[in-house]
Amino acid sequence: MAKKVVDRRIQRTRQLLQEALLALILEKGYDAVTVQDVFDRANVGRSTFYAHFRDQEDLLLSGFENLRAQFEQHLLGQSPVAESPWALSLIMFQHAQEYQRVYKALVGEKGGNVMLAHIHKYLATLLREHLKLSGKKKGPVPPDVLAHYLVSSFMALLTWWLDHDLPYPAERMNEMYRQLTEPGVMAVIGE
C-alpha cells in the first residue's frame, strides 16, 4: 500500500513539472524557458526535478509520451483507418482540437523544434505502416518519401492551425489538407 502512495506522489510531481513547462512554453516559448523557470513555477527544488528528469528536453519529451499514449487511445476508439491517409489525419486533427492547449505548447510556434522532430518521426512511421497495410500499389515515389511529404505538409498545417487558435473545425482542416495533398498522392500511387 505504501508503494501506491509513493507512485501517486511521483506521478503528481511529474505532472506538476510537465504542467509548469507547458504553461511557460505558452507564455514565452520553449527556447526562452530555463530549468530554473520550471523549478520556480512548479515550486519544487532542483534535486526533485533531477530525481525525475535528466534535463528540460527530457521533461518536454515526457509530455510527448503522454500525448502519444492519449493519441493511441484515441486511435483505438476510432473505426479502422484503412481507406486513406486522410482518415488518419482527421483523427489527428480531432485529437489536436480536443487537447488544444497541450498541442499548442508542443507543436505550435512556441514549442521549439525538438518536439516537432519527435512528432514528425512518430507520424511518419505510423503513416508508412498505414500505407503498407492498405496495400496501395507501388508508384514512382518510395513509401518513405511519400510518408515524409504527407507528414511534413500535415505538420505545417497543424502548426498554422494551432498558432491561429483553431479558426476552423478539425473536419474542415482535414478536408483542406486532403484537397491540397490528394491530387499529388493519387498521381504517384496511380489511383
Side-chain angles (χ1 to χ4, degrees):
M1 188 158 200
K3 185 170 175 50
K4 284 192 177 200
V5 173
V6 172
D7 288 346
R8 277 194 220 134
R9 244 183 309 168
I10 290 170
Q11 186 178 16
R12 271 195 309 268
T13 301
R14 291 176 67 86
Q15 187 174 8
L16 186 65
L17 289 164
Q18 288 168 342
E19 279 297 317
L21 179 61
L22 287 179
L24 288 162
I25 290 171
L26 290 170
E27 286 173 25
K28 57 188 196 174
Y30 178 74
D31 293 333
V33 176
T34 66
V35 176
Q36 186 64 50
D37 293 333
V38 176
F39 303 156
D40 293 344
R41 177 64 59 96
N43 197 25
V44 300
R46 178 177 297 274
S47 61
T48 300
F49 177 88
Y50 287 111
H52 296 276
F53 301 102
R54 284 187 318 274
D55 53 24
Q56 186 170 309
E57 186 175 320
D58 189 31
L59 172 59
L60 182 67
L61 294 178
S62 74
F64 169 70
E65 287 307 312
N66 289 340
L67 188 63
R68 182 192 54 74
Q70 289 171 342
F71 177 68
E72 287 176 357
Q73 281 297 109
H74 186 77
L75 246 171
L76 289 174
Q78 303 298 316
S79 60
V81 184
E83 68 273 9
S84 75
W86 298 281
L88 183 62
S89 61
L90 175 59
I91 292 169
M92 186 71 182
F93 276 121
Q94 290 170 334
H95 193 256
Q97 185 172 275
E98 186 176 342
Y99 295 97
Q100 178 183 355
R101 181 176 174 272
V102 175
Y103 272 85
K104 191 168 185 162
L106 299 179
V107 180
E109 68 183 342
K110 293 186 175 191
N113 292 324
V114 172
M115 190 54 63
L116 285 174
H118 282 278
I119 292 174
H120 192 287
K121 182 179 177 182
Y122 170 74
L123 290 176
T125 301
L126 194 63
L127 185 56
R128 262 192 315 274
E129 290 305 311
H130 170 75
L131 291 171
K132 286 179 190 173
L133 291 174
S134 68
K136 303 287 185 202
K137 72 178 195 175
K138 286 191 174 184
V141 177
D144 286 350
V145 174
L146 181 57
H148 180 79
Y149 167 75
L150 285 170
V151 171
S152 295
S153 56
F154 173 79
M155 292 299 294
L157 278 180
L158 179 65
T159 301
W160 177 88
W161 187 51
L162 291 164
D163 290 342
H164 288 86
D165 296 320
L166 284 61
Y168 305 101
E171 294 74 16
R172 178 69 179 122
M173 281 305 295
N174 193 61
E175 186 54 36
M176 288 187 279
Y177 171 66
R178 184 176 188 152
Q179 288 172 350
L180 291 167
T181 57
E182 188 174 31
V185 170
M186 291 303 133
V188 255
I189 63 173
E191 288 189 4

